[in-house]
Amino acid sequence: MDHPKDTECKNFILSIKLMAKHLDSMAENFDLDSVREMLNNIFAAESIFVMGAGRSGLVGRAFAMRLMHLGFNVYVVGETTTPAVKKDDVVIGISGSGETRSIVDLGRIAAEIGSTLISVTSNKESTLGEMADTAVVIPGRIKDNGGGYLERHMRGDYRNLTPLGTSFEISSMVFLDAVIAELIAIMGVSEADLKLRHTTLE
Amino acid sequence: MDHPKDTECKNFILSIKLMAKHLDSMAENFDLDSVREMLNNIFAAESIFVMGAGRSGLVGRAFAMRLMHLGFNVYVVGETTTPAVKKDDVVIGISGSGETRSIVDLGRIAAEIGSTLISVTSNKESTLGEMADTAVVIPGRIKDNGGGYLERHMRGDYRNLTPLGTSFEISSMVFLDAVIAELIAIMGVSEADLKLRHTTLE
Amino acid sequence: MDHPKDTECKNFILSIKLMAKHLDSMAENFDLDSVREMLNNIFAAESIFVMGAGRSGLVGRAFAMRLMHLGFNVYVVGETTTPAVKKDDVVIGISGSGETRSIVDLGRIAAEIGSTLISVTSNKESTLGEMADTAVVIPGRIKDNGGGYLERHMRGDYRNLTPLGTSFEISSMVFLDAVIAELIAIMGVSEADLKLRHTTLE
Amino acid sequence: MDHPKDTECKNFILSIKLMAKHLDSMAENFDLDSVREMLNNIFAAESIFVMGAGRSGLVGRAFAMRLMHLGFNVYVVGETTTPAVKKDDVVIGISGSGETRSIVDLGRIAAEIGSTLISVTSNKESTLGEMADTAVVIPGRIKDNGGGYLERHMRGDYRNLTPLGTSFEISSMVFLDAVIAELIAIMGVSEADLKLRHTTLE
């Protein structure tokens, strides 16, 4: 292994610049109809359920935290006290490939229950994308071949590791924070209001 | 509440564009000496421990997953089987303000033990930043006043909710993925190699 | 290290028998007034929050799952979408010593907020026990000296490891499942009813 | 709903007494050959992986914590930095019915990889029990019909809720703590030694 102490950090800088460029292009070309549908679904939902495997699961949890701060009734699938999904709920499934087995399986159940399924994926033609009521497309290359997340993980199959450039997880985290920004604008909530609303304890 | 169905998504688009611009500027101005120090610390470490509260904790876990994929001995503070920290280990603490109580307290213990402490924060002059052996600065406004994360959370004090623009968590996730890109370049690991190295099970 | 292949498993058997004996004695001598108070608090609560560190946290989550199954509004402190605590909520803190720092700190905030605090501890005279509105005492020796859980963990201070005999975590898990049994009896819910109530999705 | 304030707590007391009786009988009749096999497997393993869904997963994590305290190389399947399983590892799957889909699927992969699979279940003739190299039987009625844990959970199918009596999770937690007690006896580790070994930080 080379001593890193004198690295010029070219890949470090390039990685951040490529991400910035990717996001800028994403902002220009996003399908805003899918965003409007997602916003309408969120406002209409009784409860919102977020699910994703691995790093997509972490991004989903970061989004769920913000929805909770805004006062929505929101749960992360797989956490301790998450209740059953009902017909009037919205389920948001996050998967770069749209083929992560556990997320596809749970998406199918959400559909059976009659709840509204939103997919956040890079692949609209994937199983998850095709099954969704609203399919949001995050631009980026499609990185894995699907299958079970924990199963691939147990085998050490990390094909979705990307050394450079566009990362589905970062793109989707930026997308989801932009959804939060739009939600706040629609709700007319200023930062100050949020603070007041939440710190007044009675 | 307005009907969102006809929103022009101005805040949505602006939020992504501001983030892209922020990242581009971050790439131009990053203190690369702190990155080189961090890379050297990671290569020299016996084990690497990552810690953060709330959304910063999620970002830390996304980084820890990648380090594990690359073959490093890495743990997330607070997970079930995370062992005790030892002198030759590196502890990476992530906190936008650098004042999150639990992270500051654990940073102090890491220092007492004699392990190397790396802070990832927007505030070099914070308690965590001042205490660190290597202080990495993520540009961005400083969003909270510190205190205990769970304690503020229990009180409903969500002052760090940002409706628009720079997000410490996204900036630090992009930074940490760029560190991974540089690690891969230094280690000479191609994506194909990674796959082979990990799927050959014996 | 001895080869274990021929062990007579004396400690294995003794450990289970001591636990059985301890539980039998616990059933005979439990302070039922504290149980009735806890039941009344649970029925009166708007929402129920459960918290504990380490293995006590796992026991708390097992209890929270059951409360959710029974239809209560329940959250685990520290999980992604757990909201802020309010005045009409009940907070249940689980700590063998009653001195685990994070739990004591959060208990203090619960008290400030004006919510009802129930402590589940082996030590009624502990900081958590003294501060609680309802103090449930789980018989057993007091195993640790308090302090911060993650802090002691980071230092490798595992003094609460008990080779034999009474375990606070098992005793409290049996206690909490017994509370569930009593809740079910009071609510008049048969197993069949539970099943029907939950699987009818509309 | 009846006012619980005057309940005699009959179900509460009965629940604890039944559990004590069940554990006493478990101690008398346990298949010690399976325990010896499990102990030998643990000592021979390069790394130990623990997995379970829902409350069984919590019990597995409580066991994994203790193994880590004793110095074993141990991981919980599904946590952030858990590496891939290799041939010389041991995988411990915990499932009351032995039919929980995710655990059965992961057990199959563990077998394919060539690692040693230990099942902890009430049903030796289950898919998981039949597939295991070492099948440990926890006495108790078999409570669920298998299927995917998260899938049943999403549907609100909580048939494994037991109002009274034997609980697989408590029985298996007591069993696993008894395995720890036997491990400590074999390793010749006194409580004092454990403390010293772990608190000397260099």
Side-chain angles (χ1 to χ4, degrees), chain C residues 16 33 73 84 89 91 105 110 117 129-130 181 183 187 191-192 200:
Chain C
I16 302 175
D33 282 334
N73 214 7
D89 297 334
V91 177
D105 286 351
L117 179 65
E130 295 278 350
L183 280 173
M187 294 165 78
E191 246 177 307
T200 307

Side-chain angles (χ1 to χ4, degrees), chain D residues 95-199:
Chain D
S95 163
S97 66
E99 302 293 350
T100 312
R101 181 146 67 210
S102 58
I103 304 308
V104 167
D105 286 350
L106 292 170
R108 198 165 281 131
I109 288 162
E112 278 174 41
I113 288 168
S115 63
T116 302
L117 179 64
I118 300 173
S119 65
V120 176
T121 164
S122 286
N123 187 359
K124 198 172 187 167
E125 280 73 41
S126 63
T127 311
L128 189 70
E130 295 278 348
M131 170 196 306
D133 298 287
T134 298
V136 172
V137 179
I138 304 295
R141 59 173 168 152
I142 295 138
K143 290 162 306 175
D144 66 68
N145 305 325
Y149 173 79
L150 277 179
E151 294 170 22
R152 283 186 290 124
H153 195 84
M154 189 178 256
R155 292 185 203 272
D157 178 359
Y158 306 132
R159 269 170 296 183
N160 59 343
L161 193 68
T162 52
L164 256 192
T166 70
S167 143
F168 170 76
E169 295 93 356
I170 289 171
S171 302
S172 55
M173 191 167 172
V174 171
F175 158 72
L176 292 166
D177 267 18
V179 168
I180 294 291
E182 192 65 33
L183 280 173
I184 290 175
I186 291 168
M187 293 165 79
V189 184
S190 75
E191 245 177 304
D193 288 336
L194 276 173
K195 179 178 157 184
L196 286 172
R197 217 160 44 101
H198 285 284
T199 49

